């Protein structure tokens, strides 16, 4: 792909052509050698999209909630991009969110773009490809980018590093889970959603959450965001407007407190570090010419050398290269 | 900790003193500045332990199986170290395997050492701290090291990079899961265990697995290991001796086919690369003196600079340092 083609692709993506958007995401996801050129070409058009992360344990109704949220945001006339992040555990079992939603009501809506992304095997996981895809959607004029994690794992924590606002979904009947999870979810949630709120135990779940929030606040200093708890029945669309409203309120809070800039600077920091590490990793791999890493590894396997000394030698050669 | 203290600690660990073993693992897990010295001191005494990885989706009875396997291996007079790897998702919910087993029959057995390790926040996850802990157990004279992953995520895949033999546990009634998981588990399993084999659906699970294995073999070239399927009822100890036997047979196959050396060389390669990357990451962090990364990230957040150009500058400074 030569330069003019890239310019045209970017121009078409900015006009909102789904094929151009999809093509750009494929290029950045596959670590195309042009990924840096793409980022450079897109950067001037970015910074406008609100980025929300959705996460939560299996069984809380994440895909139903995402679909309902999409409907509500579209109802306000907003263009919405969805990135469904799949950590690709061999045991994940479920169909990809994006694939499921794609087949529903949003499939033919030009104001919606849905993409599943696998993070397996990516050095740095979410930290690498996802910000590139967010940049594409941002430059393509989507007002909101929803990042949803599929499955359970490190990605739930990492999503926070990418989002302006992180929504944690829970459901009744997971009492033990909430207790065990409290440290983690309190750290990452900006908005709590208790889905399936028409079921037994919803009051108890909300009550537990409130207690956790109150306890955590005692340990905090200074003014801070008070995490709201929204009850929803996503399958019936109930409470979803309140989630949209909570997202907006949080975004306004971020702007008013300088927190949006702070989060985006932290996000840029993560991204730059991830790109630098990936490049260094590639340079290390290049030292396999003459298989330098392989030679050192063989000596480690034979216990002639410890791995730290081997790593030191590798780094010395990298810096000399 | 001065040099002589380290020598003494290593000597005590080699005598099998659990406190010395535990202390060494703590030091390597916490990335003590002495971690390289520890690896150097241990390396001459390593290479003897057989390393087996146990993995599988939640609900298959992993902790019960590990406990039963421990009993069976101890029955053969083998000393066994267990590393329970916890990817520390905020949603994991379950108690740590190691903590549960520690309270059972093996608690007072000097031939057993059990340790839970959290991988959250570790660059490279399992790739980093786990090989260090394996090295400690190997040097301390444990005949078998069992690495068990807790929860679901990338760690299930990564465990293969650390183990001589990978055991994948499944259970009846997970038919859809097996179908969805087939590509992943076929790649990583050396031995399949269908636990809870006294339940309905066990025959179907075994049948499905057999079909998957047969299909996968058609795509392979050359002679290869045929993954056995062992039925167990771990809670009653049924079939566990057959698992031990399958582990031994696979180990003998590894040795006879030169595959053990190949796997250990690959493991050393992963480890050296992980250590080198971690060091480079630390050097990048040092560039925060004068907060060079922060300056660049702020310019990226302000969209004055794209993150790839920022990463290039960071690497240039790293190499100049």
């Amino acid at each position: 792909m030569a330069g003019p083609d890239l310019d045209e692709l970017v121009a078409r993506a900015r006009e909102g052509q789904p094929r151009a958007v999809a093509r750009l995401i494929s290029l950045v996801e596959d670590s195309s050698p042009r990924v840096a050129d793409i980022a450079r070409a897109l950067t001037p058009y970015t910074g406008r999209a609100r980025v929300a992360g959705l996460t939560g344990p299996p069984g809380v109704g994440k895909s139903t909630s995402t679909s309902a949220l999409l409907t509500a945001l579209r109802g306000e006339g907003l263009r919405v991009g969805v990135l469904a992040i799949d950590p690709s555990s061999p045991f994940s079992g479920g169909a990809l969110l994006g694939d499921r939603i794609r087949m529903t009501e949003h499939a033919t809506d030009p104001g919606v773009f849905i993409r599943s992304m696998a993070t397996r095997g990516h050095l740095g996981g979410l930290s690498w490809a996802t910000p590139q895809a967010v940049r594409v959607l941002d430059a393509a004029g989507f007002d909101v980018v929803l990042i949803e994690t599929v499955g359970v794992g490190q990605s739930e924590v990492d999503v926070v590093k990418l989002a302006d606002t992180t929504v944690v979904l829970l459901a009744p009947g997971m009492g033990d889970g909430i207790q065990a999870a409290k440290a983690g979810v309190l750290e990452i949630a900006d908005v709590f959603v208790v889905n399936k709120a028409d079921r037994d135990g919803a009051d108890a779940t909300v009550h537990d959450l409130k207690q956790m929030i109150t306890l955590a606040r005692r340990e905090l200093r200074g003014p801070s965001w008070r995490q709201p708890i929204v009850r929803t029945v996503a399958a019936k669309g109930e409470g979803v407007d309140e989630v949209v409203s909570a997202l907006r309120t949080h975004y306004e809070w971020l702007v008013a407190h300088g927190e949006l800039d702070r989060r985006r600077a932290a996000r840029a920091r993560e991204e730059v570090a991830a790109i630098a590490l990936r490049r260094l990793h590639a340079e290390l791999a290049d030292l396999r010419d003459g298989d330098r890493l392989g030679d050192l590894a063989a000596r480690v396997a034979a216990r002639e050398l410890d791995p730290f000394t081997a790593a030191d030698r590798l780094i010395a050669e990298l810096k000399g290269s």
Side-chain angles (χ1 to χ4, degrees), chain A:
Chain A
M1 186 172 59
D5 292 334
L6 175 56
D7 291 343
E8 193 178 322
L9 198 55
V10 169
R12 278 191 273 132
R14 292 190 61 218
E15 287 166 13
Q17 294 186 24
R19 278 197 178 184
V21 174
R23 175 88 181 113
L24 283 171
I25 293 181
S26 294
L27 286 169
V28 298
E29 189 178 37
D30 298 343
S31 314
S32 149
R34 299 297 298 272
V35 64
D37 294 334
I38 294 169
R40 277 178 205 119
L42 295 173
T43 292
Y45 310 116
T46 56
R48 216 183 51 83
R50 290 189 275 151
V51 183
L54 268 84
T55 186
V60 294
K62 269 193 290 186
S63 62
T64 313
S65 294
T66 302
S67 188
L69 202 51
L70 257 173
T71 304
L73 291 164
R74 291 296 295 140
E76 302 205 345
L78 297 167
R79 296 180 63 219
V80 187
V82 178
L83 297 172
I85 308 301
D86 173 18
S88 297
S89 161
F91 305 120
S92 64
L96 286 183
L97 168 74
D99 297 332
R100 278 176 285 162
I101 290 188
R102 207 174 281 132
M103 289 179 281
T104 68
E105 61 196 296
H106 310 293
T108 56
D109 179 348
V112 170
F113 184 91
I114 297 168
R115 174 76 165 225
S116 295
M117 297 182 75
T119 57
R120 179 174 175 184
H122 279 269
L123 179 75
L126 267 174
S127 321
W128 164 252
T130 316
Q132 310 309 322
V134 169
R135 182 172 290 112
V136 172
L137 294 173
D138 189 356
F142 288 95
D143 302 291
V144 178
V145 177
L146 297 178
I147 303 175
E148 149 141 18
T149 59
V150 180
V152 179
Q154 183 60 30
S155 54
E156 272 81 1
V157 183
D158 288 345
V159 75
V160 180
K161 298 180 185 164
L162 300 168
D164 299 324
T165 300
T166 298
V167 179
V168 171
L169 286 149
L170 297 167
M174 309 182 62
D176 289 349
I178 290 179
Q179 283 310 310
K182 60 185 173 184
V185 297
L186 274 174
E187 265 170 43
I188 67 178
D190 297 308
V191 173
F192 283 106
V193 171
V194 175
N195 191 32
K196 305 182 183 180
D198 53 351
R199 293 202 183 167
D200 284 348
D203 288 343
T205 301
V206 171
H207 179 260
D208 285 355
L209 269 176
K210 276 186 182 161
Q211 275 203 317
M212 282 163 49
I213 293 170
T214 305
L215 281 170
R217 281 179 67 81
R218 283 195 203 136
E219 292 161 25
L220 293 171
R221 284 172 206 140
S224 83
W225 170 253
R226 185 170 185 101
Q227 299 148 317
I229 304 171
V230 183
R231 296 172 190 237
T232 61
V233 185
K236 299 178 185 169
E238 291 173 17
V240 179
D241 287 341
E242 284 77 5
V243 179
V244 172
S245 170
L247 285 175
R248 189 185 305 110
T249 306
H250 183 250
Y251 191 80
E252 286 163 2
W253 179 88
L254 287 172
V255 172
H257 290 76
E259 181 70 10
L260 186 68
D261 289 341
R262 203 196 59 75
R263 290 194 179 192
R264 291 190 171 179
R267 198 194 302 173
R269 195 175 176 120
E270 287 287 333
E271 187 183 8
V272 172
I275 292 168
L277 265 185
R278 192 184 173 92
R279 294 219 161 153
L280 291 168
H281 190 251
E283 291 189 29
L284 283 179
D286 283 345
L287 293 178
R288 290 176 193 176
D289 289 347
D291 203 16
R292 193 64 191 123
L293 175 55
D295 292 346
L296 289 164
R299 296 190 57 198
V300 170
R303 296 182 301 286
E304 297 165 14
L305 203 65
D306 72 90
F308 290 87
T309 305
D312 282 345
R313 292 191 190 169
L314 204 60
I315 289 174
E317 293 189 23
L318 177 73
K319 289 192 173 180
S321 68

